[in-house]
Amino acid sequence: MADSGSEDIAVIGNTDLTPSESENNLKNTMVEKGTSLLKKMEISVAEAEKRTGKNAVNMQETYTVYLIEMRPVDAASEGTNPVPDSLWRRYSEFELLRNYLLVTYPFLVVPPLPEKRAEFVWHKLSADNMDPDFVERRRVGLENFLLRVASHPDLSTDKIFYSFLTEENGWKETVFETGFQAKADSRLKALNATFRVKNPDKRFAEMKHYGDELQSVISQLLRVRARAADRLYGVYKVHGNYGRVFSEWSAIEKEMGDGLQSAGHHMDAYAASVDDILEEEEHYADQMKEYLFYADALRAVCRKHELTQYELEMAAQDLTSKKQQREELATGTIRTFSLKGVTSKLFGQETPEQREAKLKMLETQIEEGEELVKERNAECEEFVKSAWVDIERFKEQKDHDLREALISYAIMQISMCKKGIQVWNNAKECFSKM
Amino acid sequence: MMSGSVVDNTVSSGNSSAAIPTDISGQILDLDEDDDLEVFSKDTTLTDGSSFNASMQTSPASMINQYKFEEDADTKDIFVTVDNPESHVTAIETYITYRVMTKTTRSEFDSSEFEVRRRYQDFLWLKGRLEEAHPTLIAHPLPEKFVVKGMVERFNEDFIETRRRALHRFLNKIAEHPIFSSSEDFKIFLTAASGELTSHKKQGPGFLSRMGDTVKAVAAAVRGVRNRPQEFTEMQEYVEAFSQKISSLDKVTQRIVREQKEYLEELKECGPTYALWSQSEEELAEPLKNVAGCVDRCCKETEEQVKNLSDHLIPVLHEYVLCADTLKMRNDLDKAEDRLEWANNALKSDWTRWQKVMRTDLRSAFVDTAERNVSYYEKCLAVWESFLHSQRTDAEGNGKVDFS
């Protein structure tokens, strides 16, 4: 399908779009929005292969690796076909990359990976990670992930990301050398702790709520769709029985034989057609899943903002209490209850030298505290600014992508209806010859 | 002997010049094999008013030449409809009557139009009388007394409508049958006022005569056919196989209905989910609501399609399952009684006729089903195309896309 400029034309004007074509359209969008990386290089996940090897606990395991290819854009258009740079990566390496990005850019809505395990399956699909269909859909999902990152104005310039695409060996070590793991662990711990922010930012609170709703409604949609797909499969397949019975029946009839026999073939074709239909629908489900996981990424940003805000509030609170202590010490009044105050009352006051030393320590702490508050405040402001820019970008992307997905769903339904019309018209013709 | 046209001695030799309808050419080739098979042709000398009384129906001579192989709409001279169900409540019971309207040009009818009301019992009576009078002929089945569990269902709208259609088909099959349609009982059924019918029912052997008599008669006729073992075996084998196939089709269709209903249950939840989602969105709210609407409309169409299968295809298949069962039962009987040889031929011609009618019925039932399926998909197609159109218009309106 030739690029005709805007992807909207391609999708709406042509109702015979196939899943791979609509996939292309998505890529074109990303390329056109054009980060400098994508302007130079064409990135793809071309293949998947099975490997066996020893894992961390020295046990045999089978896993799949994916071939990442980078091709200079100019070369493609010039017609020359140099061998692309390529390397193999497995899913766990993609996960490592994403975790690194999450920790390094907590204020960005980091693109999600395709699901780790097949969820929302209907009965026919294997939930097995080794199933070829699952592997193929994962390959597409991983490519999509790379393109999303590569088309992001900030993420695309990340060096670790670039070396993920270019350095097969030693990449893992490079990532660990950044020390992100430690940050990741402490962040994780903090995020999992329950904390309450005194003055929650309304916008972020709303965003988080939206993320919750989005996640909930897409999950529901995927569940319902999977059940409906299962049932639809049953309807189509039972028609295959018509094929068998018509065929048997035609054997005992004279005049009706031919009509019945050919009608039977059409029934078989009808029954078989559901496989393609549901495969296309799976693609739609994958598009929905991406945004299900995106919802999670969005919530993560909001949560991290809350943490940042909480830390600021904590620092401010700490500073205030330290200032109060200084005041009490300086004026000799005890306004706040403290065990020290009580014991000093009971066992006698401190010496002027002790008080002096304490005051000096407090002053230092207060100075440091003020620095910390200033820092955290700046952090918070920076976070809010960057996060909000990215959230706006994300919203636009989401609205565009999901609208396209709905359109492609309609196109699929249309295609299914057209096939149905054809089959039943053919069958009708055969029946009339009975 | 001329190929395929042997004349019965009891009929005037003028028959040899009577035209043989062309559509039995296939059968003529078959008949070649057997010496004493006859070809029937329409002899108008015997189809006068005097043939229409009960006693004539058991007279062999009058029966022979009343077969028509060609039943064009042009030559159809009686039209019967069953409609307008009404409920009647008496002290003892509640029951439904149906309006039976007849339009006919037949001279033995006093008038050209009749309208009467009949209840299910009356139809049963008629069928019984016809089977009694012509035990060797194939009568179309009546819908079963109760097809659903529970008394309440009897007055369910769908059930009444399904039954009405089946009764309509039943009467039409009789009207189209060369011998049944000339039955006096049939005429009385179509024309008599309720009181008249009741008193007529009380006469004669009555429809409560035991199955046994009918069974014996059928057995005799069947035994007659057995004199030609090959034909009998063929018919028997055919009926057995046909019965299996039609039962399978009935089961498959019922299974399809079940699966469709379950699909519908799931699909019904999709629309509301999209609608729920639209409440959280701004830009996406409109397309999501639109999709919700489309899914809901497709649900309605699917519901109708399921209803169509249940209302139109399944009853016809079911009737032929009953037919096949009746035919099989005839084959199974094995009592030795003497009957006239003519019964064989009546049986065979009726058999041939039945096959033709069966073919027509099933063909039109399947063609009808295919048409309804096409219509279903066409409606759904329109729904989704309108969605696409709205998105395109939207995009143009927002200045997002240039479609020039």
Side-chain angles (χ1 to χ4, degrees):
Chain A
M1 165 116 205
D3 282 352
S4 44
S6 169
E7 61 289 352
D8 282 351
I9 297 179
V11 174
I12 297 174
N14 180 0
T15 61
D16 293 326
L17 207 58
T18 64
S20 63
E21 283 168 345
S22 88
E23 183 67 29
N24 250 338
N25 288 334
L26 185 62
K27 285 191 215 158
N28 291 337
T29 319
M30 293 198 268
V31 171
E32 274 159 31
K33 294 272 158 90
T35 54
S36 46
L37 174 60
L38 278 183
K39 286 199 159 83
K40 276 190 290 184
M41 304 298 275
E42 218 177 80
I43 305 174
S44 66
V45 175
E47 284 167 37
E49 237 179 53
K50 271 212 193 87
R51 297 270 169 87
T52 48
K54 290 267 165 79
N55 68 5
V57 289
N58 218 24
M59 294 192 30
Q60 264 303 71
E61 61 165 3
T62 315
Y63 56 90
T64 314
V65 284
Y66 300 87
L67 184 67
I68 302 177
E69 283 185 347
M70 289 253 281
R71 219 180 284 257
V73 164
D74 308 324
S77 55
E78 274 167 19
T80 62
N81 216 4
V83 174
D85 287 329
S86 65
L87 43 74
W88 295 93
R89 293 256 184 246
R90 51 186 297 191
Y91 186 81
S92 56
E93 291 174 280
F94 280 84
E95 277 182 310
L96 181 59
L97 170 65
R98 185 164 192 268
N99 285 338
Y100 166 80
L101 292 174
L102 278 171
V103 171
T104 316
Y105 306 90
F107 45 88
L108 294 184
V109 181
V110 176
L113 284 172
E115 55 194 356
K116 210 171 162 69
R117 262 164 286 279
E119 305 270 0
F120 304 107
V121 288
W122 60 279
H123 87 278
K124 191 201 159 208
L125 270 187
S126 168
D128 171 23
N129 284 5
M130 285 296 155
D131 175 62
D133 282 335
F134 180 79
V135 169
E136 172 56 20
R137 288 183 19 249
R138 177 174 271 192
R139 182 194 65 74
V140 171
L142 290 174
E143 184 177 276
N144 197 50
F145 166 75
L146 291 180
L147 288 172
R148 291 279 193 205
V149 174
S151 64
H152 190 288
D154 301 320
L155 295 174
S156 60
T157 56
D158 185 277
K159 295 207 162 45
I160 296 288
F161 173 60
Y162 191 75
S163 59
F164 178 86
L165 298 174
T166 51
E167 280 164 53
E168 183 145 30
N169 301 313
W171 174 78
K172 263 192 170 157
E173 286 72 22
T174 321
V175 183
F176 287 124
E177 270 165 30
T178 63
F180 90 99
Q181 198 78 47
K183 252 207 275 177
D185 291 341
S186 79
R187 278 249 111 124
L188 198 65
K189 212 164 146 201
L191 280 173
N192 284 337
T194 40
F195 54 84
R196 209 182 209 132
V197 172
K198 289 212 180 98
N199 293 316
D201 183 318
K202 193 158 170 262
R203 286 184 308 171
F204 279 96
E206 275 173 11
M207 247 318 111
K208 182 148 161 272
H209 183 65
Y210 170 75
D212 290 337
E213 284 182 343
L214 189 67
Q215 196 173 54
S216 157
V217 84
I218 296 186
S219 299
Q220 189 178 318
L221 186 66
L222 286 169
R223 258 195 315 272
V224 169
R225 181 217 81 89
R227 287 201 301 261
D230 189 25
R231 290 292 164 211
L232 189 67
Y233 183 78
V235 170
Y236 272 75
K237 286 301 176 190
V238 176
H239 280 81
N241 287 323
Y242 269 153
R244 181 181 52 84
V245 179
F246 282 156
S247 183
E248 289 168 5
W249 185 13
S250 73
I252 63 170
E253 296 290 342
K254 295 186 193 96
E255 294 90 359
M256 294 203 281
D258 288 336
L260 276 176
Q261 181 85 297
S262 30
H265 289 149
H266 291 300
M267 291 297 100
D268 286 334
Y270 182 72
S273 69
V274 76
D275 294 315
D276 282 344
I277 289 170
L278 289 179
E279 206 183 289
E280 275 184 47
E281 264 215 20
E282 215 49 52
H283 182 78
Y284 172 73
D286 282 342
Q287 288 176 290
M288 286 295 144
K289 275 182 200 169
E290 191 192 15
Y291 276 91
L292 175 68
F293 303 140
Y294 253 127
D296 205 44
L298 182 66
R299 279 157 79 239
V301 171
C302 297
R303 200 88 169 108
K304 282 175 220 158
H305 167 260
E306 257 186 323
L307 184 63
T308 314
Q309 174 127 358
Y310 178 73
E311 284 173 351
L312 171 62
E313 282 182 357
M314 282 297 105
Q317 210 172 300
D318 196 54
L319 181 65
T320 312
S321 106
K322 290 249 154 44
K323 280 189 177 163
Q324 208 153 48
Q325 277 179 45
R326 177 182 61 183
E327 196 190 317
E328 284 169 13
L329 213 53
T331 60
T333 54
I334 298 175
R335 246 186 283 200
T336 58
F337 176 82
S338 73
L339 191 60
K340 192 125 190 277
V342 170
T343 53
S344 69
K345 265 228 159 104
L346 287 174
F347 300 112
Q349 300 267 0
E350 306 157 306
T351 65
E353 290 81 20
Q354 283 177 321
R355 254 202 15 222
E356 207 52 47
K358 274 215 187 93
L359 259 173
K360 244 206 162 133
M361 195 177 69
L362 267 176
E363 289 288 347
T364 326
Q365 283 178 343
I366 286 170
E367 243 177 75
E368 287 172 354
E370 277 173 342
E371 273 307 309
L372 186 63
V373 167
K374 233 203 228 157
E375 227 178 80
R376 294 238 168 120
N377 203 29
E379 245 179 59
C380 210
E381 271 178 22
E382 191 59 43
F383 189 104
V384 169
K385 207 168 77 176
S386 315
W388 214 256
V389 166
D390 201 50
I391 286 176
E392 291 296 334
R393 181 205 61 82
F394 168 73
K395 274 207 274 199
E396 240 184 78
Q397 175 197 297
K398 169 206 47 125
D399 285 341
H400 174 269
D401 289 350
L402 288 176
R403 191 166 160 272
E404 292 297 305
L406 292 175
I407 288 172
S408 73
Y409 181 74
I411 291 174
M412 262 192 291
Q413 296 304 305
I414 287 172
S415 153
M416 181 174 105
C417 291
K418 283 184 175 166
K419 281 189 207 158
I421 290 171
Q422 193 182 47
V423 161
W424 285 103
N425 268 328
N426 289 339
K428 179 180 148 187
E429 244 187 77
C430 298
F431 286 138
S432 350
K433 297 199 188 113
M434 263 165 76
Chain B
M1 177 179 70
M2 277 188 295
S3 113
S5 62
V6 175
V7 174
D8 189 289
N9 290 331
T10 62
V11 177
S12 78
S13 56
N15 273 348
S16 56
S17 60
I20 296 167
T22 49
D23 79 324
I24 61 160
S25 53
Q27 283 119 342
I28 289 178
L29 294 169
D30 283 338
L31 299 172
D32 252 340
E33 324 280 327
D34 278 286
D35 285 356
D36 49 351
L37 283 179
E38 286 108 356
V39 171
F40 293 93
S41 60
K42 187 171 183 190
D43 184 334
T44 52
T45 58
L46 285 177
T47 55
D48 60 11
S50 63
S51 64
F52 286 95
N53 65 64
S55 60
M56 281 295 282
Q57 284 165 9
T58 50
S59 149
S62 66
M63 300 294 284
I64 288 164
N65 290 307
Q66 283 171 31
Y67 272 92
K68 269 192 322 185
F69 285 87
E70 198 96 83
E71 276 151 11
D72 292 339
D74 300 340
T75 60
K76 193 169 169 188
D77 56 4
I78 180 164
F79 295 85
V80 181
T81 54
V82 177
D83 61 10
N84 193 244
E86 261 172 27
S87 149
H88 296 256
V89 185
T90 69
I92 321 163
E93 55 176 347
T94 309
Y95 59 91
I96 309 272
T97 62
Y98 302 84
R99 179 174 71 169
V100 178
M101 288 211 298
T102 310
K103 287 193 171 70
T104 178
T105 53
R106 289 190 183 171
S107 47
E108 60 276 13
F109 283 80
D110 297 332
S111 167
S112 61
E113 282 187 31
F114 296 91
E115 186 178 314
V116 295
R117 295 209 70 94
R118 297 287 178 247
R119 56 186 291 190
Y120 182 78
Q121 272 181 21
D122 301 329
F123 287 83
L124 268 182
W125 168 84
L126 176 63
K127 178 160 194 266
R129 293 285 290 169
L130 293 175
E131 281 176 335
E132 228 182 278
H134 309 282
T136 60
L137 300 182
I138 307 166
H140 199 70
L142 264 181
E144 286 144 354
K145 251 185 171 306
F146 284 5
V147 287
V148 285
K149 319 168 198 114
M151 290 293 265
V152 181
E153 310 288 2
R154 204 152 57 98
F155 303 101
N156 168 269
E157 242 179 67
D158 279 341
F159 175 74
I160 292 172
E161 177 57 18
T162 308
R163 175 173 273 194
R164 182 199 67 75
R165 285 202 200 100
L167 294 176
H168 176 91
R169 275 196 297 275
F170 169 75
L171 275 191
N172 273 280
K173 288 276 184 290
I174 298 180
E176 287 157 11
H177 195 289
I179 296 185
F180 284 142
S181 71
S182 32
S183 143
E184 179 69 11
D185 291 309
F186 183 52
K187 175 159 163 268
I188 290 175
F189 179 91
L190 290 178
T191 61
S194 309
E196 237 183 279
L197 179 65
T198 316
S199 45
H200 176 81
K201 277 193 194 181
K202 291 187 177 140
Q203 299 171 9
F207 95 108
L208 289 172
S209 66
R210 279 165 300 283
M211 266 305 260
D213 284 348
T214 314
V215 156
K216 284 181 195 163
V218 172
V222 163
R223 194 182 73 94
V225 177
R226 277 191 160 155
N227 288 339
R228 287 183 281 273
Q230 189 207 9
E231 254 186 51
F232 178 76
T233 316
E234 270 175 23
M235 183 174 103
Q236 200 180 30
E237 278 172 3
Y238 175 82
V239 167
E240 188 59 47
F242 174 78
S243 172
Q244 263 179 31
K245 299 314 150 204
I246 202 76
S247 292
S248 293
L249 286 178
D250 185 36
K251 285 197 194 103
V252 170
T253 311
Q254 294 203 37
R255 176 89 188 275
I256 289 177
V257 166
R258 269 203 307 278
E259 297 283 339
Q260 282 276 44
K261 281 185 174 159
E262 295 195 357
Y263 170 62
L264 197 54
E265 283 309 299
E266 302 303 340
L267 199 63
K268 276 187 176 155
E269 299 200 30
C270 276
T273 307
Y274 283 110
L276 177 67
W277 187 356
S278 74
Q279 288 172 13
S280 316
E281 297 288 343
E282 290 158 3
E283 285 290 307
L284 281 179
E286 182 272 323
L288 283 170
K289 261 191 267 200
N290 206 325
V291 167
C294 290
V295 174
D296 286 339
R297 290 209 305 280
C298 286
C299 270
K300 287 206 166 58
E301 297 301 339
T302 307
E303 225 162 358
E304 212 186 282
Q305 196 223 21
V306 173
K307 193 164 185 298
N308 283 335
L309 271 181
S310 299
D311 288 352
H312 296 107
L313 183 57
I314 287 183
V316 173
L317 290 176
H318 200 58
E319 276 165 25
Y320 276 96
V321 169
L322 292 176
C323 252
D325 282 345
T326 317
L327 290 171
K328 273 201 293 188
M329 195 178 64
R330 290 148 58 103
N331 288 348
D332 287 344
L333 299 171
D334 187 16
K335 301 233 172 98
E337 294 252 336
D338 271 12
R339 279 284 173 137
L340 298 164
E341 189 66 20
W342 71 264
N344 292 337
N345 303 319
L347 180 77
K348 181 163 172 66
S349 305
D350 198 49
W351 169 243
T352 310
R353 188 188 167 276
W354 179 88
Q355 281 182 300
K356 189 162 180 282
V357 169
M358 176 271 285
R359 196 174 125 213
T360 310
D361 279 353
L362 292 176
R363 171 178 51 213
S364 66
F366 281 113
V367 166
D368 178 64
T369 302
E371 274 172 359
R372 288 180 199 275
N373 283 344
V374 169
S375 161
Y376 161 73
Y377 279 116
E378 280 174 347
K379 289 193 194 125
C380 290
L381 179 70
V383 164
W384 291 108
E385 279 186 335
S386 82
F387 170 77
L388 271 195
H389 180 77
S390 76
Q391 295 308 302
R392 178 188 303 185
T393 325
D394 237 17
E396 276 177 348
N398 294 341
K400 283 186 193 149
V401 181
D402 173 21
F403 284 99
S404 58

